[in-house]
Amino acid sequence: MIGAMPNALSTTLSHVYPLGSAINAAGHLELGGCDTLELAKQFGTPAYIVSEDDLRARARAFMDGIRTRSLAADVLFASKAFPCTAVYRLLAEEGLACDVASGGELALALKGGFDPKRVYFHGNAKSLAELRFAMQAGVGHIVLDSLDDLTRTEQTAAELDLTQEVLLRITPDVRGDTHAAISTGQADSKFGFGMAEAPQAIDQAAASEHLKLVGLHCHIGSQLLQLEPFQRAVTELAKLGEFDVYNLGGGLGVAYTEGQEPPSIADYLATLLDAANKELNARKILIEPGRALVANSTVTLYEVQTVKHNVSTWVGVDGGMSDNLRPMLYDAPYEVANAGRMNETGGEPVILAGKHCESGDVIARDVPLDDPQPGDILVTPATGAYGYAMANNYNGVPRPPVIFVSGGNPRVVVRRETYDDLSARDV
Ligand code: LLP
């Protein structure tokens, strides 16, 4: 649920699907006015299909929601969620700022048109080369993660004879309810300064000739479906003194399956900004959504290759862990539907298996599909966040294209990888 929004797009499908998606007269899934079976025919499978209108609507929900408040505020696209030039470009157009977590993401953000001054550079293990690149590019803020990171950032700024604005990443010892691999707010985290260490880091950054400390950052974890931990994190940050800027991170969860009801963007913003108003004497609040901006904008199309029955029914498709690692890494659930027979309900529970050489390469378990056949086009919704981002070439499988759809027009923004691409870096 995206929450109260002017000109909200709606969908006749569950809230897991992109806004504006529908079932057309032929019973096919339609996205951005495009029939997904036609898309599969034209561009092949697997393919990431992105509803441009959905992406813009969510960006506007964040921007409008944050701007109606009294505090100065900015929305940063946590670009690790979908680091694709076309997505950077679209969100830059919508007026967002950007969070990058490596030199590579920075290069993409600049290519996508972000003003370097509106880029925030993160990382627990930034290299000196990355720090130099960020400063030479004129990155507005660097988020410091440890005392070593602070020292190295200071030395790099001194070497380049400039003053770098910085924030300190704080680990407030607040745990949200999420998978351990994506929980970051606990005291024993690889990220940030613990509450005990923070005062020393604050003093050291404040005293530095080449660093200008403007504020604090915290990001307690990802795919959080409750708002209370966000409030607690603000309470912890308030204990560290007063700063101009607070970056409250990302982490708002999304619906991957119909039964999941994450907080709306509006409720999330209200909770965060009320807590900030009450507890922080800030000049500016920043937030860094990744998943909640991009996840539900996108679906992945696959073609069924094989169907086999033993103890279970195994539906083998032409993608898997090379285009979506999340089921394997986090036991993440996904829904599956037959894109050409969207009106069908029920069916036997099947296992949607990827094409890779591991038993763990399963996209979804116990998903109902009515008589799936080789050649059918299947769809898994909510694949926009960390799908393309973590795609890989296991088994030499070329990565899928990214196709934007809007107003009945498809537009390839990243082409499918070729077999030649697989050896393109050979020397
Ligand atoms: N800010 C910082 C400093 C972060 O580390 C992250 C995510 C975000 C913002 C955005 O969080 P989001 O709004 O997307 O929850 N690969 C995992 C997710 C890793 C998240 C890493 N950090 C997954 O597929 O679930």
Side-chain angles (χ1 to χ4, degrees):
M1 290 234 304
I2 187 162
M5 245 190 353
N7 308 317
L9 302 165
S10 65
T11 174
T12 53
L13 288 145
S14 99
H15 61 301
V16 175
Y17 283 86
L19 299 165
S21 47
I23 302 173
N24 66 18
H28 301 173
L29 173 64
E30 200 176 277
L31 232 70
C34 299
D35 184 313
T36 49
L37 260 58
E38 291 300 319
L39 294 173
K41 215 178 284 167
Q42 194 177 346
F43 302 107
T45 51
Y48 301 111
I49 312 294
V50 182
S51 160
E52 202 174 325
D53 299 349
D54 178 290
L55 210 49
R56 289 191 191 277
R58 281 177 218 274
R60 286 171 197 174
F62 274 107
M63 294 293 284
D64 296 346
I66 215 160
R67 278 178 180 158
T68 57
R69 300 291 174 143
S70 49
L71 271 172
D74 234 337
V75 180
L76 283 49
F77 165 41
S79 66
K80 70 205 77 184
F82 204 158
C84 161
T85 323
V87 175
Y88 283 99
R89 191 169 298 123
L90 183 148
L91 293 173
E93 273 170 24
E94 290 295 332
L96 278 76
C98 188
D99 140 5
V100 300
S102 71
E105 285 182 0
L106 172 57
L108 289 168
L110 297 176
K111 198 157 194 180
F114 276 101
D115 175 353
K117 288 198 225 48
R118 301 193 67 217
V119 173
Y120 293 72
F121 193 91
H122 288 271
N124 66 309
K126 306 173 190 86
S127 71
L128 292 174
E130 284 179 316
L131 287 169
R132 257 178 236 125
F133 172 38
M135 288 182 208
Q136 278 166 340
V139 157
H141 295 87
I142 294 183
V143 184
L144 304 179
D145 202 273
S146 65
L147 289 174
D148 281 335
D149 191 35
L150 190 160
T151 307
R152 285 153 63 94
T153 303
E154 184 176 33
Q155 283 167 355
T156 308
E159 182 191 303
L160 297 174
D161 195 23
L162 49 81
T163 304
Q164 177 64 50
E165 294 200 4
V166 297
L167 285 90
L168 298 184
R169 178 164 179 170
I170 306 297
T171 310
D173 200 13
V174 170
R175 266 202 97 118
D177 184 17
T178 190
H179 192 281
I182 54 176
S183 176
T184 49
Q186 68 279 9
D188 193 15
S189 168
K190 76 170 188 174
F191 299 104
F193 296 95
M195 291 298 285
E197 195 187 13
Q200 183 196 342
I202 290 168
D203 289 348
Q204 208 167 310
S208 166
E209 239 182 84
H210 288 278
L211 303 179
K212 181 169 179 228
L213 177 61
V214 300
L216 304 182
H217 167 278
C218 92
H219 170 76
I220 56 174
S222 207
Q223 183 57 11
L224 298 174
L225 296 170
Q226 268 124 30
L227 295 177
E228 182 271 336
F230 292 112
Q231 278 170 320
R232 253 189 302 142
V234 171
T235 305
E236 289 305 305
L237 287 184
K239 295 177 182 165
L240 295 171
E242 270 183 23
F243 294 87
D244 278 351
V245 181
Y246 288 88
N247 180 334
L248 302 177
L252 176 62
V254 304
Y256 285 97
T257 56
E258 207 171 335
Q260 288 178 317
E261 284 292 347
S264 67
I265 292 172
D267 286 350
Y268 163 76
L269 290 176
T271 302
L272 227 53
L273 295 174
D274 287 349
N277 265 323
K278 208 166 80 196
E279 310 222 33
L280 306 172
N281 193 13
R283 194 176 53 74
K284 191 167 190 183
I285 296 293
L286 312 174
I287 56 164
E288 276 173 345
R291 192 186 313 267
L293 264 176
V294 300
N296 296 94
S297 69
T298 301
V299 307
T300 306
L301 300 180
Y302 298 106
E303 188 190 71
V304 176
Q305 309 299 310
T306 54
V307 180
K308 168 185 112 160
H309 307 275
N310 50 23
V311 178
S312 310
T313 297
W314 298 85
V315 177
V317 295
D318 49 1
M321 60 184 282
S322 53
D323 58 78
N324 187 359
L325 264 179
R326 300 195 68 260
M328 280 189 91
L329 290 180
Y330 322 112
D331 283 324
Y334 283 87
E335 277 186 12
V336 183
N338 196 321
R341 292 190 261 136
M342 290 299 286
N343 289 315
E344 275 175 10
T345 50
E348 293 304 306
V350 307
I351 301 180
L352 186 67
K355 70 181 273 96
H356 300 275
C357 301
E358 299 199 20
S359 292
D361 176 30
V362 159
I363 301 167
R365 274 178 205 281
D366 295 328
V367 281
L369 274 184
D370 194 11
D371 192 26
Q373 295 293 330
D376 282 357
I377 301 300
L378 302 186
V379 55
T380 54
T383 54
Y386 306 106
Y388 171 87
M390 298 195 292
N392 59 81
N393 289 127
Y394 185 37
N395 293 132
V397 174
R399 284 173 290 183
V402 180
I403 297 153
F404 275 23
V405 289
S406 177
N409 298 313
R411 175 162 72 95
V412 179
V413 298
V414 179
R415 64 162 172 80
R416 184 181 305 285
E417 253 178 343
T418 62
Y419 291 151
D420 281 343
D421 288 332
L422 298 178
S423 55
R425 292 181 301 129
D426 292 0
V427 184

